[in-house]
Amino acid sequence: MKPSTNRMLTRIKDVYLYIKENGTVSTRELADAFGSTPRTIQRDLNVLEYNDLISSPRRGKWTTTEKKVKVTL
């Protein structure tokens, strides 16, 4: 796996864990927490949403779903 792909997957997992730990968070809060642009975070959120791991109850706010996930650290 390419190093850039590995970094992306690690960031996506970290974003998921951050949302799970902090409850409902905004895209801006995630961008600030991870030192990324809102567009980069939005791409990560799209991957998580596509896999039904997060949902957006309000525009720009994100929370985890009830889907069971096994996270390896």
Side-chain angles (χ1 to χ4, degrees):
M1 185 177 321
K2 290 171 47 174
S4 60
T5 302
N6 195 29
R7 277 195 314 271
M8 179 190 68
L9 292 174
T10 299
R11 188 182 61 244
I12 289 172
K13 179 171 75 172
D14 291 344
V15 167
Y16 174 78
L17 292 173
Y18 184 92
I19 296 170
K20 189 163 187 67
E21 184 176 305
N22 292 284
T24 303
V25 297
S26 70
T27 304
R28 169 53 63 193
E29 180 182 344
L30 290 167
D32 292 343
F34 288 92
S36 296
T37 65
R39 183 64 191 118
T40 297
I41 293 298
Q42 188 60 54
R43 282 191 292 268
D44 296 345
L45 294 169
N46 288 343
V47 170
L48 292 168
E49 186 177 36
Y50 178 82
N51 287 287
D52 197 32
L53 297 173
I54 63 170
S55 65
S56 181
R58 295 188 314 273
R59 183 172 166 88
K61 300 286 186 179
W62 299 92
T63 190
T64 55
T65 63
E66 297 297 318
K67 187 173 184 178
K68 299 292 181 203
V69 177
K70 180 180 176 184
V71 178
T72 58
L73 301 175

